[in-house]
Amino acid sequence: MTMEMDQLYSDIILEHNQTQENKHELADATLSEHGHNPSCGDDLTLLIKQKDGIVEDASFLGTGCAVSTASTNMLIDLIKGKTVKEAQHCLEVFFNMMAGKPQSEEELESLGDAQILSYFAEMPARIKCATLSWHSAQVLLK
Ligand code: ZN
C-alpha cells in the first residue's frame, strides 16, 4: 500500500465522518438492529424503513469510531432506495470482498465508496469496525 493510497482511504473515511448525513432518527422505521463491537466500543443502531420489498429509507444512531461510523454511512448510501433483493446482493458482494474472494470489477464498483473498506479486511483490530453495521443489515434484510 503506497502513501497516496493511505491518504485516499483516510480522506474518504474522513469525508463520511464529517457529513454523517445518514445519522438521524427515523420515525417511521420498520426495522432496527443494534450492533455492538466490544473490542472497540462501537455502538450503532441501524434503522430501516422497508415497504413493498424496497428499502425506502435508512439511518443510524449511536456512537462509534471513525471506521465504523463511515462504513455505516456508506452502507446506508448504498442500500437506500434499492429493492431488498438488490440490497441483499450488495451485502453478499461486500462480505465476499472482505473475505478476500475474487470479485469482478463491476461488482466492486457497485459498492461505491464502500469498496475502500477492503483496506481493513486484513486488519484484525479494524475489520469488526468496518463490518459491524453490514452484519446488522444482513440480519434485517434476510
Ligand atoms: Zn471501531
Side-chain angles (χ1 to χ4, degrees), residues 50-101:
Q50 188 185 314
K51 203 182 160 208
D52 302 329
I54 294 169
V55 181
E56 281 201 338
D57 206 355
S59 74
F60 74 99
L61 293 171
T63 53
C65 67
V67 175
S68 65
T69 309
S71 102
T72 305
N73 207 59
M74 290 171 188
L75 163 73
I76 293 171
D77 279 349
L78 190 63
I79 63 172
K80 207 156 71 173
K82 286 199 164 69
T83 65
V84 171
K85 222 172 164 179
E86 287 165 344
Q88 283 167 341
H89 182 71
C90 290
L91 295 176
E92 200 185 313
V93 173
F94 174 80
F95 282 110
N96 283 339
M97 175 184 81
M98 295 308 271
K101 290 184 191 159

Side-chain angles (χ1 to χ4, degrees), residues 3-75:
M3 287 280 274
E4 285 119 60
M5 280 308 274
D6 275 348
Q7 191 56 48
L8 174 69
Y9 284 60
S10 43
D11 282 353
I12 296 173
I13 295 285
L14 190 70
E15 195 188 302
H16 278 269
N17 267 290
Q18 279 169 344
T19 64
Q20 293 196 23
E21 56 186 346
N22 296 318
K23 184 177 178 179
H24 53 80
E25 297 279 352
L26 197 65
D28 49 1
T30 56
L31 303 163
S32 80
E33 177 71 13
H34 177 229
H36 182 223
N37 173 17
S39 61
C40 176
D42 306 315
D43 209 315
L44 297 168
T45 299
L46 180 67
L47 300 157
I48 287 178
K49 182 191 175 192
Q50 188 185 314
K51 203 182 160 208
D52 302 329
I54 294 169
V55 181
E56 281 201 338
D57 206 355
S59 74
F60 74 99
L61 293 171
T63 53
C65 67
V67 175
S68 65
T69 309
S71 102
T72 305
N73 207 59
M74 290 171 188
L75 163 73

Side-chain angles (χ1 to χ4, degrees), residues 98-117:
M98 295 308 271
K101 290 184 191 159
Q103 301 286 303
S104 72
E105 194 108 330
E106 201 182 351
E107 283 193 306
L108 286 176
E109 267 168 26
S110 73
L111 294 177
D113 282 354
Q115 278 175 84
I116 67 126
L117 296 171

